[in-house]
Amino acid sequence: MRLDLTCPAYLEQLALTKGTFWWQYLFTDEVPFADPHFETIRTGLGTMLDRFPGLFPAWHYTDLRLRFAARFS
């Protein structure tokens, strides 16, 4: 899948998401998120975005939350 990221941006997002499974799906439009097969991915990303701000308060997750809302709503 083609990601909407440059190589430096990829590494920044990798650090921000701590390598959480499926974080890359926030940066592609090529995945049919309405498909029930992606329910596990939606749940996992939602959990990450709910918990990480409390676990890592120095990091900012607003942009990822907006991407999540745009792709999974």
Side-chain angles (χ1 to χ4, degrees):
M1 278 173 242
R2 188 170 202 59
L3 300 180
D4 184 24
L5 290 169
T6 62
C7 284
Y10 180 94
L11 294 174
E12 289 174 15
Q13 295 305 315
L14 180 62
L16 179 65
T17 60
K18 315 299 185 260
T20 299
F21 290 127
W22 310 305
W23 69 267
Q24 298 93 334
Y25 288 128
L26 294 171
F27 294 91
T28 184
D29 291 327
E30 297 181 23
V31 176
F33 292 116
D35 188 317
H37 289 55
F38 287 93
E39 182 177 350
T40 300
I41 293 169
R42 286 190 300 269
T43 301
L45 288 173
T47 300
M48 175 193 72
L49 292 170
D50 287 342
R51 294 187 181 165
F52 274 21
L55 294 170
F56 308 105
W59 296 77
H60 300 283
Y61 291 91
T62 303
D63 291 341
L64 290 181
R65 288 184 151 290
L66 293 172
R67 283 186 168 277
F68 181 81
R71 284 169 173 72
F72 294 100
S73 328

